[in-house]
Amino acid sequence: MTDPLLTLRPWTAPEVTSWGRLPMNAVDRRTGAHSLDGDWRFQLLSAPDAPVGGAWSTAAVPGVWTMQNTDDPLRSTVDLPQYLNIRMPYTEFPPLSPVDDNPTGVYEREIDVPADWTGRRIVLQVGAAESVLLVHVDGRPVGVSKDSHLAADFDLSDVVRPGGRHTLRLTVVKWSDASHIEDQDHWWHGGITRSVLLYTTDPLHLADVTVRASRDGELRVDCRVRDTGGALPEGWYVSGELDGLELTQDTGFDRANAEDERVSAFLGEARMQTRVPEVRAWTAETPELYGLTVRLHHADGGVADSSRHRVGFRDVEIVGRDLLVNGERIYIRGVNRHDFHPLTGRTVSYDDMRADLVLLKRFGFNAIRTAHYPNDPTLYDLADELGFYVVDEADIESHDHAHEIADDPRYLNAFVDRVSRMVLRDKNHPSVIIWSLGNESDYGANHDAAAGWVRRHDATRPLQYEGAAKRGWADPDLASDIACPMYAPLEDCVAHALSGEQTKPLIQCEYSHAMGNSNGTLADHWAAIEATPGLQGGFIWEFWDHGILQSVNDGRPVGRGGAGLYDNGVTAPGYRWAYGGDFGEKDHDGAFIADGVVFPDRTPKPVMFEHRELAAPVRLELFRHEGLVVANHQHFRGLQWLAGEWRLALADGRTLTAPAELPSLLPGETAVVPLPLALPEDGGEAWLTLRVTTAEDLAWAPRGTEVCAPQVLLRAAVPAEELPVPGTVEVDADGLLVHPLLTAGPVLSLWRAPTDNDELGGMALRWRTWGLDALVRKVVSVRRDGDAVTVLAEYAGTTGVVRHRQVFTPVEGGIRVDELAELPEEFDDVARVGTVFETVAGLDRLEWFGQGPWESYPDRSGGAPVGHHTLAVDELFTPYLRPQESGGRHGVRRFVLSGPDAPGLVVTPDEPRQVSVTRYRADDLAAAAHHDELVPRAGCVVHVDAAHRGLGTASCGPDTFPSYLVAPGVHRWSWTLRAL
Ligand code: GAL
Ligand code: MG
């Protein structure tokens, strides 16, 4: 018998968004349902209409087949993960997809329907499947669903028998018309990515519940009621309970304007409303939730159905050009987050999601954009509970064919379907403050159709869509209440806010691209945002580096920085983080998939620490050298949840501490407090830090977790000249310093292993064209002048020559090196100007006075306090997925490199300098594609830079600012080297 689901080929018909699927609603049926997760029978077909008849294997549900047995060398690449950003993985034009090569997973298992479900409604829920789901029970077609990141429910009451055993088959077609609108920038997978379950209700059931709760305590609960038997039975009613407060049906509510509260015989609508006295309002800072139970009763009082909701009382509105939560102009300290996991690809557990959000909370984030599709439902529960503002985004991205699809009527249903289903599912979450129509899909009538639906259905939240801004951010289009550009230059944002033309809140949907060693100028962004009315923040791109754990157990030595799942991203011999191309894909976009603020094992990248500081709820300023201004920089709460400690770091090595009493401050208030510690007469440069920690155990942080560490300079350094003393300096025939602790250099360095920003922004190419990666050094002269030695050298690139002078002078206990480099005009944007040398083996510990402890660069140093820091050399290095410049420390005043088996060395630069100490030369890093290819050197490679180029974000978006570039012309710096 032919199967109509196959004959109709729904995977080629965008008009068909579903068949047999129940309407989406906000009644969560997961609790109490029968889980069908586990191992299912599985067959992978080459195309949806290929015959099922081969051997069954097993597959995990939920799970994507593209992540199963990824090490098997015999697997076809089409069955493995493939990473493409914009381009579709095939050339077929929408709505078509490959006919013969369309992997189709057939999942099958038996289901036993409990005998006591007789007379009840029995529903199958498939949490998510990509991209087309076909459902059969005992060979009978039951339904079709598209929309890969939302659940599909199917009523099985007529096809299964209580007490019976049935065969459930879920067929998942990988490529379809829907793939063209699911062209997001991440891995392509295929399979079932969220849980499958079976639930049952009385035929009389809650078809939907809509909760509206505002900050003044008004609560309104609207229920839609249906009966699968047909007309509703007489006498049904609803009741509710909100944390002990009884709710009764509002008998005055009568939408049908008739005696009977039913709109029709088939659809019941009922309302409950109340006003909660002294309500505790919900905000991301104060995620106060109330528990609501809604019950649907038969006439005799018996409960037919019930649902649980968590209610947050809050208002979202736009007033003028400000987005307000509970009347306050908030800042959006956001991040874009995908549902991602390095082992499962797409399937994320409760624990994973909780860990993501806890980490974000700890690092000062307060907002998430669910880029670029509705996330797992649990994420919203956690956002409500832990406190995040969510931009909920529909699963629409037609990037490769955006222009055609936005106005293609064949896709109209899909647009409205996807947006409306998201709104219907998530409308009761207080965390969701903005709806988004999707991403990178141009702008057309299909968007306006979806926008129209949202505006009618939910007037309580703003709507945004980046692509709507076709004529500028103030365009009064239907689809965006927010000006939400991506990667807009900061100066454009500021200019817009100052132009008088701004009509909408300006909140970038993506900014500060976190690929590799990146996020330069984040502090400049926040300084401007906090100083410019009209700017309210944005969402960093993105949370995850989507590296997939991959075995490379082929006998090669594996260096530090290989993949180490949940082991600090550092060591796991035999594994690495795979990115585009590592699964043998012909077409791919390489490491562009690794652009998050956390590594694939969730280890925070250094930018996270800077972000935490930029988001500091407590700010500190020096007040006329007599006291300190402490400010509460939050919107909704005092400082009582925080504790503090003062730390005074002195250049002479001392750190003094004193307990801190945080003043009692309302949001936005400041207080002047006296200096907590007497500043010692001696001790040199002095920095006072207020280390702020949580004062109590919170849902996202145990007591004592660091929240921020604002810092002020109490006393500046007095420059001290290192005076010459009699002594000897030895240089070899090449004019290179001979020193027992050095094995190479010190020589001039103008290059760094290109960061992803350097590569994609075109700087690296320029540097190679200039020959900066392979400068040829030639000694011009070596001259002795008393005890001092002057070495003149030239470093020739392909297009210019850099003249370099080093003067080595004996000073007390060591050697002072005064350097001068003169860059020709054509080298107008180099990576660095500085010194590089290499040390003997055995030095494995760095102590320094300067910014730290985490990695910092000139345009990403806002979060690294000045102090005395100590780290193992191996810990200094940040293993960005594609090896590149890393491990730098900004503002280093002095450092000591030591080890158990070798005498150490001390370097004191003339002023705070950019320093790095690693086990890799720039060449080593630049030559490697993954960390497992790197072999650490025994000695250390040390850079002391007179100038170091900012990092910027040019891999996608603006480069660093001109003030962070390295200018041509003359650079001078000096440093002293001493043996310990
Ligand atoms: C944006 C896009 C994201 C991602 C990012 C670059 O244009 O919306 O999905 O591709 O660029 O990493
Ligand atoms: Mg895209």
Side-chain angles (χ1 to χ4, degrees):
M1 198 183 74
T2 54
D3 181 336
L5 293 193
L6 295 179
T7 319
L8 289 173
R9 306 173 62 79
W11 53 91
T12 64
E15 302 85 347
V16 178
T17 54
S18 70
W19 175 76
R21 188 178 70 191
L22 295 173
M24 183 57 92
N25 60 73
V27 180
D28 187 346
R29 299 292 182 183
R30 288 174 297 166
T31 326
H34 283 217
S35 170
L36 298 181
D37 290 351
D39 282 342
W40 288 42
R41 287 193 293 279
F42 182 71
Q43 275 189 45
L44 190 58
L45 311 180
S46 60
D49 35 18
V52 182
W56 292 99
S57 61
T58 53
V61 170
V64 289
W65 66 74
T66 37
M67 285 297 292
Q68 302 195 353
N69 311 320
T70 48
D71 293 341
D72 179 351
L74 297 178
R75 289 198 67 175
S76 148
T77 54
V78 74
D79 300 335
L80 288 167
Q82 179 176 8
Y83 168 54
L84 276 169
N85 171 9
I86 299 169
R87 286 172 297 153
M88 288 295 291
Y90 45 82
T91 52
E92 281 79 357
F93 212 71
L96 301 178
S97 43
V99 175
D100 300 324
D101 226 352
N102 188 359
T104 298
V106 181
Y107 295 80
E108 220 179 67
R109 64 165 280 165
E110 268 58 62
I111 50 172
D112 292 310
V113 180
D116 59 1
W117 286 8
T118 305
R120 294 180 63 80
R121 188 172 77 115
I122 299 166
V123 184
L124 168 75
Q125 179 174 88
V126 180
E130 59 194 71
S131 69
V132 181
L133 170 70
L134 313 177
V135 182
H136 293 85
V137 172
D138 300 331
R140 286 169 64 177
V142 168
V144 174
S145 179
K146 298 176 188 172
D147 197 2
S148 295
H149 293 87
L150 282 176
D153 289 23
F154 301 92
D155 192 334
L156 302 189
S157 313
D158 291 341
V159 293
V160 297
R161 192 172 44 77
R165 166 167 274 218
H166 301 273
T167 302
L168 173 63
R169 174 181 290 185
L170 303 180
T171 305
V172 181
V173 184
K174 181 166 176 178
W175 304 127
S176 70
D177 55 276
S179 308
H180 290 283
I181 53 170
E182 296 181 356
D183 182 20
Q184 290 95 353
D185 177 6
H186 61 162
W187 296 98
W188 288 102
H189 286 295
I192 297 172
T193 56
R194 295 185 193 145
S195 291
V196 179
L197 41 98
L198 207 58
Y199 64 85
T200 178
T201 72
D202 194 277
L204 178 67
H205 63 278
L206 288 164
D208 200 2
V209 174
T210 304
V211 181
R212 301 264 185 259
S214 54
R215 76 178 190 279
D216 59 6
E218 285 296 333
L219 175 70
R220 205 182 87 189
V221 182
D222 286 311
C223 307
R224 303 193 125 215
V225 175
R226 289 192 193 274
D227 193 304
T228 36
L232 291 163
E234 285 301 318
W236 66 269
Y237 67 98
V238 297
S239 71
E241 191 217 301
L242 181 87
D243 279 355
L245 185 73
E246 292 299 329
L247 305 180
T248 50
Q249 187 165 333
D250 178 355
T251 47
F253 171 67
D254 175 8
R255 194 172 131 183
N257 203 17
E259 303 252 288
D260 190 335
E261 66 273 10
R262 290 172 296 172
V263 171
S264 76
F266 300 94
L267 168 67
E269 295 202 347
R271 173 172 292 178
M272 296 180 282
Q273 33 194 349
T274 188
R275 190 189 181 102
V276 179
E278 289 168 47
V279 76
R280 301 181 311 274
W282 186 97
T283 69
E285 286 175 17
T286 57
E288 297 282 357
L289 293 173
Y290 290 70
L292 169 71
T293 305
V294 175
R295 292 184 216 97
L296 169 61
H297 302 265
H298 286 289
D300 64 3
V303 177
D305 196 6
S306 68
S307 69
R308 293 272 305 155
H309 305 265
R310 287 195 303 179
V311 181
F313 289 82
R314 61 112 185 86
D315 296 323
V316 183
E317 63 199 316
I318 292 177
V319 177
R321 56 180 186 171
D322 294 327
L323 173 72
L324 308 182
V325 169
N326 296 352
E328 282 292 317
R329 179 178 178 273
I330 51 157
Y331 288 123
I332 295 290
R333 304 180 185 278
V335 73
N336 283 278
R337 182 189 165 282
H338 274 281
D339 276 344
F340 166 79
H341 192 278
L343 298 181
T344 66
R346 287 256 210 277
T347 302
V348 285
S349 68
Y350 172 86
D351 289 344
D352 287 321
M353 284 179 272
R354 194 163 204 290
D356 292 357
L357 267 51
V358 161
L359 189 79
L360 286 169
K361 261 326 240 198
R362 288 192 192 174
F363 284 89
F365 289 86
N366 71 353
I368 294 169
R369 174 172 174 244
T370 67
H372 299 298
Y373 40 79
N375 285 186
D376 189 289
T378 298
L379 184 103
Y380 304 79
D381 296 337
L382 287 164
D384 293 344
E385 186 181 311
L386 296 171
F388 285 94
Y389 302 119
V390 172
V391 171
D392 201 5
E393 188 151 281
D395 189 2
I396 301 175
E397 175 161 344
S398 57
H399 207 152
D400 200 8
H401 295 287
H403 186 63
E404 304 91 87
I405 289 178
D407 280 305
D408 185 339
R410 291 174 297 179
Y411 277 93
L412 172 64
N413 285 354
F415 276 56
V416 179
D417 188 59
R418 285 161 186 254
V419 172
S420 63
R421 276 167 37 87
M422 169 183 77
V423 173
L424 287 164
R425 186 191 71 165
D426 295 335
K427 64 194 166 197
N428 295 340
H429 288 283
S431 55
V432 175
I433 62 162
I434 297 171
W435 302 116
S436 163
L437 296 180
N439 188 57
E440 298 188 319
S441 303
D442 204 323
Y443 181 36
N446 292 342
H447 289 101
D448 282 348
W453 189 93
V454 180
R455 296 210 180 279
R456 165 60 70 106
H457 191 85
D458 179 24
T460 71
R461 290 175 178 90
L463 176 65
Q464 77 173 47
Y465 175 55
E466 183 265 339
K470 284 193 127 178
R471 286 164 303 182
W473 307 330
D475 191 350
D477 54 81
L478 182 64
S480 202
D481 301 323
I482 314 266
C484 49
M486 47 173 76
Y487 313 107
L490 180 59
E491 67 262 31
D492 292 3
C493 297
V494 173
H496 180 60
L498 300 178
S499 66
E501 310 281 304
Q502 187 181 1
T503 55
K504 304 173 177 182
L506 177 41
I507 300 167
Q508 292 215 54
C509 71
E510 295 176 26
Y511 83 110
S512 199
H513 195 247
M515 182 178 185
N517 193 356
S518 184
N519 305 98
T521 74
L522 191 61
D524 305 79
H525 275 76
W526 276 95
I529 291 164
E530 293 187 356
T532 314
L535 303 188
Q536 279 191 264
F539 296 83
I540 290 179
W541 186 267
E542 66 173 311
F543 182 62
W544 286 113
D545 263 1
H546 304 224
I548 291 179
L549 192 72
Q550 185 178 44
S551 163
V552 282
N553 234 340
D554 56 3
R556 279 180 291 143
V558 175
R560 225 190 92 85
L565 198 68
Y566 307 113
D567 180 24
N568 211 23
V570 196
T571 36
Y575 288 92
R576 70 176 179 190
W577 296 124
Y579 52 75
D582 290 338
F583 293 100
E585 316 103 286
K586 193 161 50 54
D587 274 336
H588 63 84
D589 285 310
F592 206 63
I593 190 70
D595 55 0
V597 291
V598 301
F599 285 97
D601 65 357
R602 213 183 277 108
T603 303
K605 289 188 184 174
V607 60
M608 291 288 271
F609 295 90
E610 171 157 75
H611 187 273
R612 185 172 73 182
E613 211 47 52
L614 296 175
V618 182
R619 306 290 171 94
L620 198 62
E621 260 177 56
L622 199 56
F623 181 68
R624 292 198 204 132
H625 282 274
E626 292 157 14
L628 298 157
V629 185
V630 179
N632 177 358
H633 216 264
Q634 303 167 99
H635 294 287
F636 301 104
R637 62 182 158 174
L639 302 183
Q640 55 290 357
W641 62 287
L642 297 169
E645 185 199 46
W646 295 105
R647 282 197 179 170
L648 180 64
L650 296 162
D652 68 2
R654 280 180 290 168
T655 302
L656 313 176
T657 59
E661 191 67 42
L662 293 178
S664 162
L665 295 174
L666 293 173
E669 282 188 348
T670 58
V672 177
V673 302
L675 283 179
L677 286 155
L679 185 61
E681 290 287 310
D682 55 355
E685 186 179 353
W687 288 85
L688 181 67
T689 306
L690 177 59
R691 185 167 175 270
V692 179
T693 53
T694 50
E696 57 207 61
D697 287 340
L698 302 174
W700 51 271
R703 177 166 173 262
T705 303
E706 185 160 323
V707 172
C708 59
Q711 188 173 55
V712 291
L713 175 65
L714 283 193
R715 183 169 59 209
V718 182
E721 216 194 316
E722 300 265 10
L723 295 176
V725 298
T728 45
V729 170
E730 210 188 314
V731 293
D732 66 13
D734 287 329
L736 295 171
L737 180 69
V738 178
H739 191 283
L741 293 176
L742 305 196
T743 56
V747 292
L748 179 70
S749 170
L750 301 181
W751 194 60
R752 65 186 179 199
T755 63
D756 293 312
N757 290 326
D758 296 338
E759 287 290 358
L760 295 169
M763 288 77 84
L765 178 63
R766 250 181 359 252
W767 298 338
R768 285 189 206 105
T769 313
W770 296 342
L772 300 188
D773 53 335
L775 289 171
V776 179
R777 178 177 178 277
K778 190 177 92 197
V779 191
V780 176
S781 68
V782 177
R783 204 183 71 218
R784 279 197 181 267
D785 185 4
D787 290 337
V789 179
T790 300
V791 179
L792 291 181
E794 280 180 0
Y795 289 74
T798 46
T799 61
V801 173
V802 180
R803 300 198 306 154
H804 180 229
R805 184 182 72 202
Q806 283 173 320
V807 182
F808 300 101
T809 310
V811 293
E812 191 60 51
I815 297 166
R816 190 181 83 211
V817 190
D818 295 295
E819 307 203 41
L820 180 149
E822 190 183 349
L823 272 61
E825 281 306 309
E826 57 262 46
F827 291 174
D828 60 358
D829 178 10
V830 302
R832 58 160 41 116
V833 176
T835 310
V836 61
F837 61 82
E838 292 178 21
T839 73
V840 294
L843 303 178
D844 58 8
R845 196 169 94 117
L846 189 79
E847 289 167 76
W848 75 101
F849 181 53
Q851 291 192 249
W854 35 85
E855 181 192 272
S856 53
Y857 283 84
D859 63 349
R860 205 193 64 218
S861 70
V866 178
H868 298 283
H869 306 288
T870 304
L871 279 177
V873 168
D874 288 341
E875 282 170 340
L876 292 163
F877 184 74
T878 313
Y880 296 110
L881 261 58
R882 194 189 62 78
Q884 55 196 276
E885 161 65 30
S886 114
R889 297 296 185 282
H890 191 60
V892 175
R893 280 106 167 128
R894 178 186 132 99
F895 64 86
V896 181
L897 188 52
S898 60
D901 312 322
L905 55 88
V906 186
V907 171
T908 317
D910 52 346
E911 54 181 82
R913 297 291 184 187
Q914 181 77 23
V915 165
S916 74
V917 178
T918 67
R919 301 219 177 268
Y920 307 107
R921 292 181 185 160
D923 292 343
D924 300 339
L925 297 170
H930 291 88
H931 281 274
D932 58 288
E933 298 157 25
L934 286 172
V935 182
R937 290 175 184 275
C940 296
V941 180
V942 180
H943 283 271
V944 179
D945 292 333
H948 194 105
R949 191 188 197 281
L951 300 167
T953 61
S955 52
C956 181
D959 193 3
T960 193
F961 298 153
S963 56
Y964 298 114
L965 297 180
V966 178
V970 173
H971 293 260
R972 285 193 176 81
W973 69 104
S974 49
W975 49 288
T976 57
L977 172 67
R978 293 187 170 86
L980 253 191

